[in-house]
Amino acid sequence: MPRTLKPEEWTPVDVPELESAAEEAVRAAVNTVVVAGPGAGKTELLAQRACYLLQTNLCPEPRRILAISFKRDAARNLGERVARRCDQELARRFDSRTFDAFAKSLLDRFGRGLPQRWRPSDNYQVDFDIREKKAGDYLNIIPNRPGLTKADITGIQPIAFYRNHFVGQLPIGAEPTTVEERASLALWAIYLRGRQPSTLNFEMINRLAELMLRANPKILSALRATYSHVFVDEFQDTTAIQYDLIKTAFHGSSTALTAVGDNKQRIMGWANALSGIFAAFQSDFGATIVRPVRNYRSAPKLVRIQQVIARALDKEHRPAVAVDDGTDGEGDCRLFEYPNQLVESEHLAGLIEGWIKADGVIPRDICVLVRLLPQKYTTELTDALTRRSIKARVESDLLDLMAEPVTTTILHFFKLATARHAPDSWAALMELLQEVESDDSEEGARNLERRLSGFNRGLRQKLKAVGADPEVITGVVQELIDFIGEAAYISLHPQYGQGTFFRETVKSVSKHLAASRASVEWNDAIDLFEGKDSVPIMTMHKSKGLEYHTVVFVGLEDSALFGFKNNEFDEACGFFVALSRAKKRAVFTFSRMRPRKVGMAAESQSRSEIEKLYRNLEIAGIKPELIE
């Protein structure tokens, strides 16, 4: 057991210091809002706060810390940082999850505490196809239910119905009084009991978790007794459903909450992120506001450009201070205008080639961003890079898969079996097996080493004969899961405890491994799967929380930022997020001609609707450079 430190003895772990505002947040004893811009080290701040609370026993055993993130990779990153900085015994009391994983774990463990009317089947399925934009279709399946006619349904506005009623706050016992309330109850009945198993999306799961806590004071009390502290990252993207869950779970309790975010990076308005969430939290929870100002990510010139955009988004913005002193370069930002997407692709490919071969930037530290539809904007660029022997791939859909714990575990086994030396994978698998066995003794460790070594020898021989058949690879993967113990492994990762998510994730990993193995040996196949030496391409929304030496945003055009006219703030926030991913270099492009879809004829493009973004860049000293 590590020695407990007095609060005044504690110092930041693995970093030389924290700025005063960050240290105030780390040591806070009250509910706190940390308003911090890009590059402020928000994840590191939360990791340090976890260390402080655990190492000083301000989170006393057996109580735990709950950290909630929006993205799986962010949740994993925070959990890994705490594990590196804290004794293992302490780090085990830190739960880092996404909002959806937290809500699902509550429903899976305590779902039988729901009122009968709202209780899904134990084997309910998650259906990602239940979406707001299909609300009209859902209304069409309701008529002829008791108390509802087709005429009743016709008068309901679908989107408002979905947001305000279907996934609005669920009543515990009150009977419906309006047509919308009756329709909502009828639709819930269809998804909960009208088909087997029950079918839910994550908005529904979050709502059921919140209802369960409201309906069961004992479960609510147990949750509050479990967590002495709660962190919520990227707080600006919190939806009404998620905020209701947090409020029901912890409002009025002794649990101390730390909400971290930046309203200028609010890019989830399209997903119903709440406007004014910081003010609501400050009012509801009596929270203190802390404002760190350091930017640990970007070079000085990029920080200065970010300030121009930030002031346009928030008149109360406090200027950030670049920690980078510019010794190895002030940073660079360019805006290129091209006659068409073919010239654009060749020029960008040439630049990327120079950055890699002449400047020594590794491919994975160069990110190509688009607003939407990566294939539309980057197919020609990918081809141009291929001709220069540079790999690039769209990673928007892979990011979540790569963040899954079971993906990491599978890759560690495959690396150990195929690489000459894989000490990190050996250490990670030994730690996993010790956690499964709950045995930290020296004799237990020797036994596990012998078991892992023997299994690895067999896996190495087996993989030599395994080609690119997904079903065969799935079988091999199942063997290594059985070696760990599937039930024990799932118990460590509650998101896999119900439904088909675990099976589907394993199947998806096997499929991608098979695709990578098709023409190369296993070592190279694993590198392909992980994207080693490949330039990542993704949407700007997927880039949130990530950082790169160089960011290239393709298509700063009206047609790409089509929502700007009706939702200027959110689109400008997306632009700000794209710019602020860059550590040393940011590039934006405009093409006068671009096809609407891959393979179609090019059409004229404009930038009149997003002229404000160009004007802000010009204020910052960035003007279009014509490339013909």
Side-chain angles (χ1 to χ4, degrees):
M1 182 73 180
R3 183 177 77 87
T4 299
L5 301 174
K6 296 178 180 178
E8 59 271 20
E9 293 179 316
W10 184 87
T11 57
V13 183
D14 289 348
V15 295
E17 64 170 355
L18 297 171
E19 66 171 294
S20 58
E23 183 134 4
E24 179 185 347
V26 164
R27 296 178 180 272
V30 296
N31 295 328
T32 308
V33 176
V34 182
V35 180
K42 294 186 285 291
T43 303
E44 184 60 39
L45 184 155
L46 292 177
Q48 294 294 335
R49 177 156 172 76
C51 291
Y52 170 72
L53 295 169
L54 292 167
Q55 292 170 342
T56 60
N57 206 37
L58 289 171
C59 172
E61 192 177 8
R63 302 192 78 185
R64 308 176 70 84
I65 299 171
L66 171 65
I68 303 176
S69 303
F70 279 81
K71 296 169 62 177
R72 296 175 205 171
D73 56 343
R76 182 184 67 175
N77 181 13
L78 179 54
E80 289 175 347
R81 289 197 192 205
V82 173
R84 289 196 300 268
R85 287 158 175 73
C86 261
D87 181 87
Q88 187 177 8
E89 189 172 339
L90 295 176
R92 284 175 183 163
R93 292 195 284 122
F94 183 77
D95 298 331
S96 185
R97 299 177 181 172
T98 63
F99 253 117
D100 289 342
F102 171 57
K104 190 174 185 301
S105 68
L106 290 176
L107 182 61
D108 293 348
R109 291 178 64 192
F110 306 115
R112 290 185 176 273
L114 280 164
Q116 184 63 42
R117 170 185 284 177
W118 299 106
R119 195 178 302 164
S121 61
D122 291 341
N123 61 338
Y124 72 85
Q125 300 293 313
V126 177
D127 185 352
F128 295 97
D129 202 42
I130 303 175
R131 291 175 286 173
E132 176 183 283
K133 70 179 183 179
K134 292 187 175 184
D137 297 335
Y138 307 147
L139 285 168
N140 289 333
I141 67 176
I142 294 175
N144 301 321
R145 296 271 160 174
L148 289 166
T149 67
K150 191 162 187 176
D152 291 329
I153 300 302
T154 303
I156 298 177
Q157 203 284 323
I159 299 299
F161 164 76
Y162 183 91
R163 292 182 182 180
N164 301 329
H165 297 281
F166 183 61
V167 293
Q169 194 167 68
L170 305 179
I172 292 177
E175 290 302 314
T177 58
T178 67
V179 170
E180 288 82 3
E181 289 173 354
R182 293 200 302 273
S184 176
L185 196 62
L187 190 56
W188 271 97
I190 291 170
Y191 283 113
L192 290 171
R193 296 180 298 281
R195 53 189 71 175
Q196 285 296 321
S198 303
T199 307
L200 309 171
N201 68 10
F202 273 107
E203 289 175 303
M204 298 164 74
I205 289 171
N206 274 264
R207 273 300 180 203
L208 290 174
E210 187 274 334
L211 173 63
M212 181 192 61
L213 294 177
R214 243 187 313 130
N216 289 273
K218 289 185 178 179
I219 296 175
L220 178 61
S221 178
L223 179 69
R224 293 174 172 184
T226 299
Y227 293 113
S228 64
H229 296 79
V230 173
F231 307 161
V232 186
D233 198 8
E234 302 295 357
F235 194 59
Q236 74 279 349
D237 290 327
T238 303
T239 67
I241 299 172
Q242 293 162 341
Y243 187 60
D244 281 349
L245 177 57
I246 290 294
K247 194 172 176 182
T248 296
F250 301 110
H251 184 260
S253 73
S254 63
T255 302
L257 276 70
T258 304
V260 180
D262 175 18
N263 200 48
K264 298 181 295 299
Q265 298 183 68
R266 180 177 173 266
I267 61 173
M268 301 300 288
W270 59 275
N272 302 322
L274 276 175
S275 178
I277 185 68
F278 291 99
F281 181 79
Q282 185 182 9
S283 174
D284 291 338
F285 287 85
T288 300
I289 295 182
V290 178
R291 299 178 185 271
V293 295
R294 290 183 185 175
N295 185 317
Y296 292 90
R297 177 184 300 150
S298 300
K301 181 177 180 179
L302 291 178
V303 172
R304 290 195 294 271
I305 295 168
Q306 290 169 24
Q307 300 319 296
V308 175
I309 312 301
R311 282 194 295 271
L313 290 168
D314 180 5
K315 301 305 181 186
E316 297 181 3
H317 168 73
R318 295 186 181 182
V321 178
V323 174
D324 184 340
D325 62 6
T327 301
D328 59 347
E330 284 283 307
D332 191 22
C333 182
R334 311 280 291 276
L335 172 59
F336 294 114
E337 179 176 333
Y338 303 96
N340 56 60
Q341 83 280 5
L342 297 177
V343 175
E344 173 188 70
S345 298
E346 285 298 323
H347 182 250
L348 288 178
L351 290 176
I352 291 172
E353 182 179 35
W355 297 333
I356 294 171
K357 296 181 179 178
D359 298 347
V361 182
I362 63 173
R364 288 216 64 77
D365 215 6
I366 301 169
C367 184
V368 177
L369 295 180
V370 298
R371 172 63 177 84
L372 283 173
L373 306 174
Q375 285 80 6
K376 168 186 172 180
Y377 287 91
T378 63
T379 295
E380 289 90 351
L381 174 58
T382 302
D383 292 341
L385 289 170
T386 299
R387 291 192 291 272
R388 291 168 168 80
S389 300
I390 298 171
K391 292 178 288 188
R393 69 174 187 180
V394 175
E395 297 195 348
S396 293
D397 295 333
L398 269 174
L399 289 173
D400 285 343
L401 180 65
M402 296 301 296
E404 282 300 321
V406 70
T407 304
T408 302
T409 299
I410 292 168
L411 290 177
H412 278 316
F413 272 106
F414 274 59
K415 288 175 184 177
L416 195 62
T418 57
R420 182 170 296 178
H421 300 289
D424 291 342
S425 291
W426 174 270
L429 292 174
M430 278 296 299
E431 183 177 335
L432 169 63
L433 291 170
Q434 285 178 310
E435 191 170 5
V436 167
E437 298 287 340
S438 299
D439 185 354
D440 294 332
S441 68
E442 291 185 12
E443 180 61 28
R446 285 193 292 270
N447 288 335
L448 287 176
E449 285 176 351
R450 285 193 290 269
R451 283 182 56 209
L452 179 57
S453 182
F455 180 80
N456 184 57
R457 283 194 298 271
L459 182 60
R460 178 169 295 174
Q461 291 302 315
K462 184 162 292 188
L463 284 178
K464 289 178 181 179
V466 172
D469 187 328
E471 291 189 9
V472 174
I473 294 174
T474 300
V476 173
V477 168
Q478 186 58 51
E479 288 184 30
L480 63 89
I481 291 171
D482 291 340
F483 171 73
I484 302 169
E486 183 169 330
Y489 187 81
I490 288 175
S491 71
L492 296 177
H493 305 285
Q495 66 266 44
Y496 300 142
Q498 186 279 334
T500 61
F501 182 51
F502 183 70
R503 293 282 113 222
E504 289 170 354
T505 303
V506 168
K507 186 176 180 180
S508 185
V509 173
S510 300
K511 173 185 167 186
H512 282 285
L513 282 171
S516 301
R517 176 76 169 95
S519 58
V520 297
E521 294 301 317
W522 271 116
N523 282 348
D524 293 330
I526 294 168
D527 288 344
L528 278 175
F529 181 35
E530 293 188 306
K532 185 179 179 181
D533 299 328
S534 178
V535 174
I537 300 171
M538 67 188 73
T539 65
M540 66 185 190
H541 288 87
K542 286 292 186 181
S543 75
K544 187 73 176 65
L546 305 176
E547 60 183 26
Y548 300 90
H549 177 281
T550 295
V551 167
V552 180
F553 185 96
V554 177
L556 190 59
E557 299 150 10
D558 289 343
S559 61
L561 280 71
F562 58 86
F564 194 88
K565 185 175 182 179
N566 297 320
N567 198 347
E568 179 181 317
F569 182 79
D570 279 11
E571 292 291 350
C573 285
F575 172 77
F576 181 66
V577 165
L579 169 64
S580 61
R581 299 309 93 199
K583 292 186 282 188
K584 290 294 185 182
R585 182 189 295 114
V587 171
F588 296 91
T589 77
F590 172 83
S591 177
R592 294 194 293 271
M593 299 291 291
R594 192 185 302 278
R596 182 178 301 176
K597 294 182 179 179
V598 176
M600 293 181 66
E603 300 177 0
S604 178
Q605 301 297 313
S606 64
R607 60 188 183 214
S608 58
E609 291 184 0
I610 61 170
E611 185 58 35
K612 282 188 179 180
L613 299 182
Y614 280 85
R615 192 157 61 246
N616 285 331
L617 284 174
E618 187 172 357
I619 291 171
I622 311 302
K623 296 182 179 181
E625 302 174 47
L626 300 180
I627 306 295
E628 298 290 347

